[in-house]
Amino acid sequence: MALDVRESAVAGQAPRPRREMTTAFVVSRIAVLAVAAAILLYAVPPLVAAGSWVSLALVCAVSALICYLYLTRRFIPAKYLIPGTVFLIAFQVFPVLYTVSTAFTNFGDGHRGDKQAAVTAIETGSVRQAPGSPEYTLTAALRDGNLVFLLVDPRTKQVQAGTGQGLAPVTGAQVGITGKVVRAPGFTVLKTPEAAARAQEISALSVPTRGGLIKANGLSRAVEGRAALAYDAACDCVRGEGDTWTADETQGYFVNARGEHLAQGWQVNVGLDNFARVLTNPTISGYFFGVFAWNLVFALASVAATFGLGMAVALALHHPRMRGTKAYRIVLVLPYAMPAFAMLLVWRDMFNRDFGLINQLFGLDVDWMGDPATARFAVILVNLWLGFPYMFLVTTGALQAIPRELTEAASIDGATPWHGFRRVTLPLLLVALTPLLISSFAFNFNNFNAIALTSEGGPFPAENPQVGATDLLITYTFRLAFGAAGAQFGFAAAISVFIFAIVAVISAVAFRRTRRQEEVYA
């Protein structure tokens, strides 16, 4: 250590705290290895239970690579790059790829599982309790790792074990005061949280009887009934109730001769159908470009207004003769420090026609959210109030990085304050802040809360309650995909891909122009 100090002193450098650096490095190494081990221990059991061997191999390979990198003294740059890369893949790359892959499927309500799950749901949902059949008190249990129903007949108090092969009597079972089995020889009785974790498996189990099937009705009750619909593997169809529904693998439904389908389907790949629906369905494409145009206006107006006001305030407080700048800055940052969703709800009430503060304060009778023009003005105004403190902060930082000698030189050369700002200050500000302005545009292009919590997309025309005057593409997508028709994740993902492509193209063009601007003022 002394030698290091002497060598550093001779070289004119400060001594290097090798012990502190080593300690910090060891602590960071232990932290990374601990996180990797925790993720591995958390991920392995469910992957093994689900039989996802490819995912399991991938998780194990990544964990082994991380352990190898952090248990050796080599590959120093990789030790810093790997955590960032893992988080980038987990929180950026994977969600984007998953969204794109979902856009090519019919994933949504009624299409959440595979075909076997759909058949089970159809048969289970069609079970009707047989007249006069008993209702059993149900206790879920395990025998040799397999799910078993312990059924107590309330009339005879007899306990039977129900499996996929049928019923069998159980001897020596103890029944509690609630009527459920407390313990039984050879069975492991599941507690309520354990049974809830197997709710889907419990719902899928059918116990055949002479009169039909015994199905669970919740976690504590089972009834005997008959399935009105039954799957026939020979014709790949569902029969019952005097009709036949044949499997349509392209749509993921069982469809009858009249084109009607059962409510429960399964997830399939539909190719470009979701994208084609956006472009060809008149109820969607007819309003898509109008919403897109307003979306552009909203995003551009929000960025321009917030940047203009934030820059003006920052310039005023940056003036050398300005006093009390700290107090002003605290007051100006308050909108940015408050929860945005709460402030949006407050502004919505302030624009209320009957009891809103704005109408009462100025003696107006304006239906702010009832007219398209005033509603659009209102949401831009609210976004201005919420967004300008951010622009004020970043502009203040950028102004402090601009040497005062440049503006003073322009003043000496005879430039007016306006020309000095336009020719010197503003170009240098734009070089520094253009990336932030582009990111602000992307954020406001998808600013769901600003619309959903103020105008809710309205006002809506009488002939079309699906799209409102202040709807952005994101709120319009939400209403189409998650409205009365239920959740349509595949369709929502397809529109999200369109939105992503639009924002990506605009951002790419803007960044390209930014690089040209940087070259000019470099």
Side-chain angles (χ1 to χ4, degrees), residues 133-315:
S133 62
E135 295 184 2
Y136 299 94
T137 302
L138 169 64
T139 304
L142 296 176
R143 182 173 60 183
D144 299 330
N146 298 318
L147 181 65
V148 179
F149 286 170
L150 295 179
L151 304 170
V152 180
D153 191 329
R155 297 172 300 182
T156 63
K157 304 300 181 182
Q158 180 183 3
V159 180
Q160 300 180 86
T163 64
Q165 287 71 42
L167 292 172
V170 177
T171 57
Q174 181 180 349
V175 180
I177 58 175
T178 61
K180 301 187 68 173
V181 176
V182 178
R183 63 177 58 90
F187 298 90
T188 302
V189 176
L190 297 180
K191 298 178 182 179
T192 301
E194 297 172 333
R198 293 174 172 261
Q200 186 174 1
E201 188 179 354
I202 291 172
S203 177
L205 180 59
S206 299
V207 180
T209 64
R210 293 182 179 180
L213 298 171
I214 295 178
K215 299 289 294 184
N217 187 0
L219 299 178
S220 302
R221 180 171 170 266
V223 296
E224 182 177 347
R226 294 183 177 88
L229 301 175
Y231 176 71
D232 187 351
C235 64
D236 194 16
C237 63
V238 174
R239 300 181 186 276
E241 298 181 349
D243 208 342
T244 301
W245 291 263
T246 305
D248 184 351
E249 297 292 347
T250 60
Q251 299 296 324
Y253 275 124
F254 288 101
V255 185
N256 62 11
R258 299 183 298 276
E260 302 168 345
H261 60 78
L262 297 175
Q264 184 65 45
W266 60 95
Q267 185 175 338
V268 296
N269 192 329
V270 297
L272 298 175
D273 287 357
N274 289 324
F275 297 94
R277 179 182 172 190
V278 176
L279 299 175
T280 60
N281 190 328
T283 60
I284 300 174
S285 60
Y287 301 95
F288 186 87
F289 293 102
V291 175
F292 171 64
W294 155 243
N295 206 150
L296 280 177
V297 171
F298 174 79
L300 291 173
S302 296
V303 174
T306 55
F307 176 64
L309 181 58
M311 180 178 61
V313 176
L315 287 171

Side-chain angles (χ1 to χ4, degrees), residues 23-187:
T23 302
F25 182 76
V26 171
V27 171
S28 62
R29 176 190 294 182
I30 294 174
V32 172
L33 291 175
V35 171
I39 294 175
L40 182 65
L41 292 175
Y42 177 80
V44 166
L47 291 176
V48 172
S52 301
W53 308 118
V54 175
S55 301
L56 178 62
L58 181 61
V59 170
C60 293
V62 172
S63 301
L65 177 62
I66 292 175
C67 291
Y68 174 72
L69 287 174
Y70 284 88
L71 290 176
T72 181
R73 293 181 178 274
R74 302 169 58 191
F75 311 111
I76 299 299
K79 290 179 172 62
Y80 294 94
L81 292 175
I82 288 296
T85 304
V86 170
F87 283 114
L88 175 66
I89 294 174
F91 297 108
Q92 293 290 335
V93 178
F94 177 76
V96 171
L97 294 179
Y98 183 76
T99 301
V100 173
S101 64
T102 303
F104 294 93
T105 69
N106 63 345
F107 180 52
D109 285 350
H111 299 278
R112 294 175 180 263
D114 56 13
K115 188 175 182 179
Q116 183 57 45
V119 170
T120 301
I122 290 171
E123 292 180 338
T124 302
S126 68
V127 172
R128 303 292 183 266
Q129 186 174 359
S133 62
E135 295 184 2
Y136 299 94
T137 302
L138 169 64
T139 304
L142 296 176
R143 182 173 60 183
D144 299 330
N146 298 318
L147 181 65
V148 179
F149 286 170
L150 295 179
L151 304 170
V152 180
D153 191 329
R155 297 172 300 182
T156 63
K157 304 300 181 182
Q158 180 183 3
V159 180
Q160 300 180 86
T163 64
Q165 287 71 42
L167 292 172
V170 177
T171 57
Q174 181 180 349
V175 180
I177 58 175
T178 61
K180 301 187 68 173
V181 176
V182 178
R183 63 177 58 90
F187 298 90

